[in-house]
Amino acid sequence: MISVEEFSKILDILEKRYSIEFPQHISEDPFKILIGTILSQRTRDEITDKAYETLFDRFPTIESLAKASIKEIEKLIRPVGFYKVKAKRIKEVARIILEKYSGIVPKDRDELLKLPGVGDKTADIVLSFGYGLPEIAVDTHVETVAKRLGIADEEDKYVQIKRKLEDLTPLHKRSMINSLFVMFGKEICRKPRPRCSVCQIKNFCKYYRSITQSKVTRY
Ligand code: SF4
């Protein structure tokens, strides 16, 4: 199990590698973050980014998106996975935020979770990136890195992984964990083949220990 001190060293290494200066990455519009995260579900980043730009070029405000036809939204976001379901959700989310929350995305987890298409991860992304709150959004990269390091167990689900990371992370650094682990997961701790030989945090890693020990046992 990784200690608070060890995790602090891991964060130092990753912060230096990816040059994240808190809170530089937090300043985006919560509504755009919310819609972008809905678009990104089960979709590759490049495709999400393109659809996001096309959608907001045509409908730049919540009002315009709430009035848009579902067919037109579908056409604009077509390359993303489940575009028909997402088009309906996006219009509905825009309408609810406009009518129920006076056009302001709620800054409250329980309210966010009531919106169509919004689960734990999307809520945490909006709260951390949109509002700078100390939440850790657990996506596939965060989950993989946390499990390989030995912070979370294989069978752990969203809330357990998040709680275990929170126990190790000071409040003011929680909202940067997602960005750091996503960059690290894409570059080094890749799925399915992590680049352990060039990893700067391998000395802290449970997965690395297990593969090196099994090699030693074989020889
Ligand atoms: S040693 Fe390998 S598995 Fe462990 S964190 Fe680094 S890249 Fe990931």
Side-chain angles (χ1 to χ4, degrees):
M1 184 64 192
I2 286 183
S3 66
V4 171
E5 292 72 29
E6 287 171 326
F7 195 61
S8 168
K9 285 182 194 155
I10 290 174
L11 290 186
D12 281 349
I13 293 168
L14 296 183
E15 279 174 63
K16 277 188 197 119
R17 183 172 188 93
Y18 299 111
S19 310
I20 287 188
E21 284 173 29
F22 187 81
Q24 193 182 351
H25 64 299
I26 296 169
S27 63
E28 295 172 67
D29 172 355
F31 180 69
K32 290 191 172 177
I33 290 174
L34 172 57
I35 299 302
T37 312
I38 293 174
L39 283 173
S40 75
Q41 292 160 358
R42 293 168 188 266
T43 302
R44 289 204 315 273
D45 289 351
E46 322 80 80
I47 294 176
T48 301
D49 292 348
K50 184 86 184 55
Y52 174 96
E53 270 174 39
T54 315
L55 181 67
F56 282 111
D57 277 352
R58 175 71 183 87
F59 299 113
T61 62
I62 302 184
E63 291 82 357
S64 58
L65 205 45
K67 282 190 210 141
S69 85
I70 291 177
K71 282 278 164 231
E72 193 168 2
I73 300 176
E74 281 180 7
K75 219 189 286 171
L76 295 169
I77 65 166
R78 197 182 171 101
V80 306
F82 305 98
Y83 70 95
K84 288 192 174 198
V85 177
K86 289 178 184 174
K88 267 195 214 110
R89 282 182 183 162
I90 287 169
K91 181 178 166 73
E92 187 59 359
V93 163
R95 186 192 66 73
I96 294 170
I97 289 177
L98 203 55
E99 291 175 8
K100 192 172 168 193
Y101 301 100
S102 313
I104 296 168
V105 175
K107 206 175 177 178
D108 177 278
R109 164 179 300 278
D110 292 336
E111 293 303 312
L112 283 168
L113 290 173
K114 288 180 194 163
L115 295 169
V118 175
D120 286 316
K121 184 183 84 175
T122 302
D124 281 326
I125 287 178
V126 171
L127 294 172
S128 59
F129 287 82
Y131 287 118
L133 295 178
E135 301 290 347
I136 298 176
V138 180
D139 71 354
T140 177
H141 298 290
V142 176
E143 177 173 352
T144 300
V145 175
K147 287 184 175 176
R148 283 181 178 156
L149 285 173
I151 293 167
D153 296 319
E154 261 326 299
E155 62 280 8
D156 283 347
K157 299 281 185 275
Y158 191 98
V159 174
Q160 292 156 308
I161 299 167
K162 181 176 155 133
R163 294 282 168 259
K164 288 179 177 179
L165 283 166
E166 279 174 354
D167 287 345
L168 294 171
T169 315
L171 221 53
H172 69 287
K173 291 203 170 179
R174 284 187 188 167
S175 60
M176 70 197 302
I177 295 289
N178 178 278
S179 302
L180 283 178
F181 279 23
V182 167
M183 286 186 275
F184 179 63
K186 284 181 179 173
E187 189 201 359
I188 308 284
C189 196
R190 296 193 302 209
K191 222 174 169 178
R193 276 186 293 280
R195 299 169 62 208
C196 301
S197 60
V198 296
C199 177
Q200 291 172 284
I201 59 172
K202 57 174 170 283
N203 291 343
F204 303 101
C205 179
K206 183 179 167 192
Y207 176 90
Y208 186 71
R209 277 196 301 279
S210 75
I211 55 169
T212 44
Q213 271 164 12
S214 68
K215 270 183 196 153
V216 170
T217 316
R218 265 189 264 137
Y219 288 115

